[in-house]
Amino acid sequence: MIARAILLTAGEVVNYAKWLKTGMAVGTCLVILAVLYLIYRKLKDKMVGRIEYTREFSEKGVYEGEYVTMTETITNRSWVPLFFIDIESYIYNGIRLQDIPFEPKKAMQYLTSRFHLLPFMRIRRKHEVLCAKRGYYTLETIDLYYNKKVLYMNAPAELYVYPKVVPLNDEVMPSSTMPGESVTTRRLFIDQFSFSGIREYRSGDPFNSVNFKATARSAAFGIQGMKVNARDYCSNRTILVYLNFQTDLDDKIPTHIYEDMMERGLSYAAALIREANYMGYRAAFEANCVLITGEKKIRFPLGSGRLHLEEILKEMAKVRPSVGVSFLSLLQEGNRSDVSDIEIFLLTPFLNAEIEDEIIKFQARGNHVQILKLGMGEKG
């Protein structure tokens, strides 16, 4: 019996030794893991600073109601894997991310993105964005969260949302087209019904353009004495659009109705200038509004081409729906510049005797003036 007890005790000792050896191995592993985790946390704190994050929109500017893509790009520039990296930011409700529930009572949307990055890994994440409201939107900083810490990073991006596209009806289309003038976006077709003077003959001029009476009166002989009729191109037209943000003092207009009316005016102005640009015409734009940059008016001289149109649309995106300088001063400044032979469109909520006097002055110099009243009850 005593020997058997001793044998049992020896077995228990052996089992205990095995258990102790296993426990020590597990403990050693836990200690090693704990040390490695602490080292990883220290390295992570340092290597997070090597993260590069950018975001950009697929377009610089789009019209209200259109979609763009916002792309987030994050890059791990270290050899340490970085997990549970959270990027948080706020975005204006005027540009709505389709993968985030929209809350109309809040002015900003909360966007969070979680990334797990292996060494030297780059991840791109795309979001579809609805440009719901005209404006100039700038994104600046983001918050990068890791290990219950936060790192602020610059991630600039900007987007211009132009006024909403509206169809132009016959009432607001340019109406001073001369008989025989063709619509073209190219400056290659000469309007045979126009006459802009007499000039010297140039190589390539057709025979039917020679002015024989002017040639006979010239003192020179041969080709040097030939005179031809100078004609305009079919697309040689100029358009000036005025948009009045000032209302009649006797009319008390609620703020939301006034803003809708001015947004409609911007849409009409943008449509007119865009149509003129597509047709190859020169166009100018003036408005007595306040910009988010502090200016009290917009004044774009006559110009043509895609870049000219984009610059005007960008200024329209920056408009605050409030009045700057008086509309009368804007018209007076235009009259002092002696503009002539221009199609002028006046988009205004009202007219008075002083404004009508300036219109008469425009017409006296050969300008065609068309007035488009911005009614409160219209829908954009």
Side-chain angles (χ1 to χ4, degrees):
M1 295 293 295
I2 296 174
R4 186 175 182 183
I6 293 174
L7 287 175
L8 288 175
T9 303
E12 290 177 357
V13 169
V14 171
N15 291 335
Y16 178 76
K18 290 181 179 180
W19 176 84
L20 184 61
K21 185 178 179 180
T22 303
M24 290 179 64
V26 172
T28 301
C29 291
L30 291 175
V31 170
I32 293 173
L33 289 175
V35 171
L36 291 176
Y37 178 71
L38 292 176
I39 294 174
Y40 171 74
R41 285 180 63 92
K42 293 294 184 181
L43 288 174
K44 184 178 180 181
D45 289 347
K46 293 182 179 180
M47 298 307 171
V48 162
R50 298 188 182 183
I51 286 179
E52 294 181 0
Y53 176 86
T54 60
R55 51 187 172 179
E56 60 181 357
F57 294 99
S58 56
E59 302 289 341
K60 292 183 179 179
V62 294
Y63 293 96
E64 179 181 318
E66 295 183 343
Y67 288 86
V68 296
T69 300
M70 188 185 79
T71 303
E72 297 180 283
T73 303
I74 188 169
T75 306
N76 180 10
R77 293 293 183 184
S78 71
W79 54 271
V80 177
L82 302 173
F83 303 108
F84 299 100
I85 302 296
D86 294 328
I87 304 294
E88 300 181 3
S89 61
Y90 286 91
I91 298 178
Y92 295 96
N93 263 352
I95 47 176
R96 303 174 187 172
L97 276 68
Q98 297 300 287
D99 49 2
I100 297 178
F102 174 63
E103 299 183 20
K105 294 183 179 180
K106 295 183 178 180
M108 307 284 285
Q109 300 174 86
Y110 175 71
L111 171 64
T112 179
S113 297
R114 171 165 289 182
F115 297 92
H116 303 290
L117 301 165
L118 296 177
F120 302 101
M121 175 182 282
R122 173 177 295 171
I123 297 176
R124 286 190 176 93
R125 189 167 295 168
K126 296 184 177 182
H127 306 270
E128 188 177 24
V129 179
L130 169 63
C131 301
K133 187 176 181 180
R134 178 197 60 82
Y136 172 57
Y137 300 96
T138 57
L139 308 179
E140 296 179 358
T141 62
I142 56 98
D143 298 337
L144 190 153
Y145 286 92
Y146 67 100
N147 294 347
K148 297 183 180 180
K149 299 179 182 179
V150 61
L151 177 66
Y152 301 100
M153 298 179 62
N154 290 323
E158 65 176 10
L159 177 65
Y160 293 88
V161 179
Y162 307 145
K164 183 180 179 180
V165 175
V166 295
L168 287 176
N169 53 39
D170 294 337
E171 296 179 358
V172 297
M173 285 294 289
S175 59
S176 61
T177 304
M178 300 299 295
E181 182 172 327
S182 303
V183 174
T184 176
T185 58
R186 303 173 65 196
R187 296 180 180 272
L188 299 177
F189 301 98
I190 297 176
D191 186 358
Q192 298 298 330
F193 293 87
S194 68
F195 179 78
S196 60
I198 298 173
R199 60 173 175 81
E200 301 289 337
Y201 173 83
R202 292 197 294 262
S203 178
D205 286 334
F207 181 79
N208 62 3
S209 67
V210 176
N211 188 311
F212 291 98
K213 291 183 179 180
T215 301
R217 289 194 297 267
S218 66
F221 295 96
I223 294 179
Q224 291 78 12
M226 292 182 65
K227 305 293 180 182
V228 297
N229 296 322
R231 303 190 185 278
D232 292 327
Y233 294 102
C234 296
S235 61
N236 187 20
R237 293 169 61 187
T238 53
I239 292 175
L240 171 58
V241 180
Y242 280 103
L243 177 56
N244 181 17
F245 280 74
Q246 187 176 3
T247 59
D248 193 343
L249 296 177
D250 295 333
D251 294 335
K252 303 298 181 182
I253 303 177
T255 300
H256 69 281
I257 295 179
Y258 171 80
E259 291 180 352
D260 290 342
M261 183 170 59
M262 291 300 102
E263 291 295 335
R264 186 165 58 253
L266 282 168
S267 292
Y268 275 125
L272 283 166
I273 296 170
R274 186 173 63 250
E275 187 72 16
N277 179 267
Y278 292 164
M279 295 302 176
Y281 308 153
R282 293 189 302 157
F285 176 62
E286 298 189 27
N288 59 333
C289 56
V290 177
L291 301 180
I292 60 175
T293 49
E295 291 88 341
K296 302 287 184 165
K297 65 179 180 180
I298 295 177
R299 186 178 177 86
F300 268 95
L302 288 169
S304 60
R306 180 180 58 84
L307 293 179
H308 182 70
L309 174 62
E310 286 183 359
E311 290 302 315
I312 293 178
L313 292 174
K314 285 180 179 180
E315 288 295 286
M316 288 182 173
K318 295 179 180 180
V319 167
R320 288 178 177 171
S322 60
V323 63
V325 302
S326 71
F327 189 56
L328 181 61
S329 67
L330 211 63
L331 297 179
Q332 290 173 341
E333 188 176 357
N335 270 314
R336 286 194 296 269
S337 63
D338 294 330
V339 294
S340 60
D341 299 325
I342 292 180
E343 299 178 48
I344 299 176
F345 292 85
L346 259 64
L347 283 65
T348 177
F350 80 105
L351 293 173
N352 58 21
E354 294 174 322
I355 294 177
E356 290 175 349
D357 288 341
E358 297 301 321
I359 293 174
I360 293 173
K361 293 178 183 178
F362 278 124
Q363 293 171 332
R365 285 196 293 274
N367 300 296
H368 176 270
V369 181
Q370 185 171 346
I371 300 171
L372 177 63
K373 294 290 289 293
L374 299 175
M376 292 184 292
E378 298 177 7
K379 298 293 183 183

